[in-house]
Amino acid sequence: MLLLWIIFKRLGFLTPDNTETDSSSDMHFLTLSMDKFLSNMEREKPIRFTEKQLGIATDNYSTLLGSGGFGEVYKGNLSDGTTVGVKVLRGNSDKRIEEQFMAEVGTIGKIHHFNVVQLYGFCFERDLRALVYEFMANGSLDRYLFRKKKTLGYEKLYAIAVGTARGIAYLHEDCKQRIIHYDIKPGNILLDSNFNPKVADFGLARLCSRENTHITMTGGRGTPGYAAPELWLPFPVTHKCDVYSFGMLLFEIIGRRRNLDINLPESQEWFPVWVWKRFGAGDLAELMTACGIEEGHN
């Protein structure tokens, strides 16, 4: 308590005139400040929620934000007014759910970066396994790349690409243990209210010590079309598999189309190959026209 008093005094919260004469007021202020401090500290690590708390926060899971092979994501509001996304894990077996749960909490639960979605907490009970994330108002990037009406200009797409790269670089280079995501794709890049990108969905992620640069995988991982070839072969892989996936993501950002589109002529069906041929022939004008890139964009 003496140490706290000294800290508060140095910060100017306590003055020499009132430290002795108005101790009850000081202690009240100290309590409020400490409550706020502890509350902020609590947010720095994942909170364990109960099934009942999440039922109340989501109004009994009344607002569905999205769904996929992992389960469903629901909109929720915590008791302090924070809006969140509650990801309810579902799978073919308890083992698969537990693996995904441990992968996400064990990786993203330890890190903080502007371009990585923040994990607020989790629930692990008999009838509910869920993860509580910051709410991303504009959903996933694939919504804006593959719809007929393109709503994002290249300046914004460029910022999204750079922000995504920063998030991946943080996972690879700035964490205590390197984190390999294994599933970088537009559906796993979420956008906040200002369209800032955040890398999300760490259900396949793995921690990797910097001494072990190679990891031997058992079975395929990632999403076909984005996953590096070595993930589907019995060979050691490195964190560079995420770089490959990011490259595939960049092609889709540039073309604002899926890399594989069987509805297009055969020569354009696989977009990366078509781009490479245009680049090799020095025909950038045709590439820019096909991608809808106006002159003046760099």
Side-chain angles (χ1 to χ4, degrees):
M1 187 63 72
L2 177 60
L3 178 59
L4 289 172
W5 181 87
I6 293 172
I7 293 173
F8 275 49
K9 188 172 187 291
R10 286 184 177 275
L11 292 174
F13 294 141
L14 303 176
T15 64
D17 293 332
N18 66 6
T19 53
E20 297 295 337
T21 59
D22 195 7
S23 59
S24 61
S25 175
D26 289 345
M27 287 305 298
H28 178 64
F29 180 76
L30 183 64
T31 302
L32 292 177
S33 299
M34 182 54 65
D35 284 346
K36 183 177 180 180
F37 172 77
L38 293 175
S39 179
N40 290 335
M41 287 298 293
E42 189 66 26
R43 294 193 192 99
E44 293 297 314
K45 62 180 181 179
I47 301 169
R48 184 165 188 169
F49 294 96
T50 65
E51 182 178 357
K52 181 178 180 180
Q53 286 175 320
L54 293 187
I56 294 172
T58 59
D59 193 18
N60 289 321
Y61 306 93
S62 58
T63 304
L64 179 67
L65 296 176
S67 61
F70 55 82
E72 298 81 35
V73 179
Y74 299 90
K75 186 176 182 180
N77 291 285
L78 302 182
S79 58
D80 64 357
T82 302
T83 303
V84 296
V86 179
K87 178 178 177 179
V88 178
L89 301 179
R90 307 197 191 285
N92 297 326
S93 67
D94 286 342
K95 182 180 178 181
R96 179 67 190 90
I97 295 174
E98 289 179 8
E99 287 177 351
Q100 183 176 356
F101 180 90
M102 289 188 290
E104 298 218 31
V105 176
T107 54
I108 194 174
K110 300 177 180 180
I111 60 178
H112 296 280
H113 188 273
F114 182 72
N115 294 118
V116 177
V117 69
Q118 184 178 351
L119 178 69
Y120 287 149
F122 61 88
C123 175
F124 195 89
E125 295 189 3
R126 180 175 181 179
D127 297 322
L128 178 66
R129 283 80 181 269
L131 302 163
V132 181
Y133 287 102
E134 63 177 308
F135 178 67
M136 303 299 288
N138 283 307
S140 56
L141 177 59
D142 56 351
R143 294 185 183 182
Y144 301 91
L145 295 180
F146 309 136
R147 53 172 59 167
K148 290 183 179 180
K149 185 178 180 181
K150 312 301 183 184
T151 56
L152 294 179
Y154 272 99
E155 290 82 2
K156 182 60 70 176
L157 289 172
Y158 173 79
I160 289 172
V162 171
T164 301
R166 286 173 177 158
I168 296 171
Y170 170 77
L171 298 175
H172 289 175
E173 305 300 336
D174 296 332
C175 294
K176 186 175 181 181
Q177 282 188 292
R178 177 172 285 145
I179 297 174
I180 307 177
H181 187 279
Y182 286 118
D183 202 17
I184 299 294
K185 60 182 180 180
N188 288 339
I189 306 301
L190 302 184
L191 305 171
D192 68 11
S193 58
N194 294 316
F195 288 94
N196 294 306
K198 317 249 182 181
V199 180
D201 199 336
F202 285 70
L204 298 180
R206 289 274 299 275
L207 291 170
C208 174
S209 67
R210 300 188 181 279
E211 291 72 28
N212 292 330
T213 56
H214 293 74
I215 296 178
T216 301
M217 305 297 297
T218 55
R221 281 179 175 259
T223 301
Y226 301 99
E230 60 265 30
L231 287 179
W232 302 92
L233 299 170
F235 299 123
V237 300
T238 71
H239 63 286
K240 292 181 180 179
C241 64
D242 284 347
V243 179
Y244 178 96
S245 299
F246 177 67
M248 293 297 102
L249 170 63
L250 285 182
F251 276 115
E252 294 191 327
I253 289 177
I254 292 170
R256 286 189 283 187
R257 50 156 283 190
R258 294 192 184 278
N259 283 331
L260 180 62
D261 190 341
I262 60 176
N263 297 316
L264 291 173
E266 185 177 349
S267 62
Q268 296 183 27
E269 183 177 312
W270 179 240
F271 187 60
V273 171
W274 184 81
V275 170
W276 180 249
K277 289 179 179 179
R278 297 283 71 72
F279 180 79
D283 195 358
L284 298 183
E286 183 180 355
L287 174 60
M288 292 176 66
T289 299
C291 295
I293 302 175
E294 298 177 1
E295 196 170 336
H297 289 93
N298 296 318

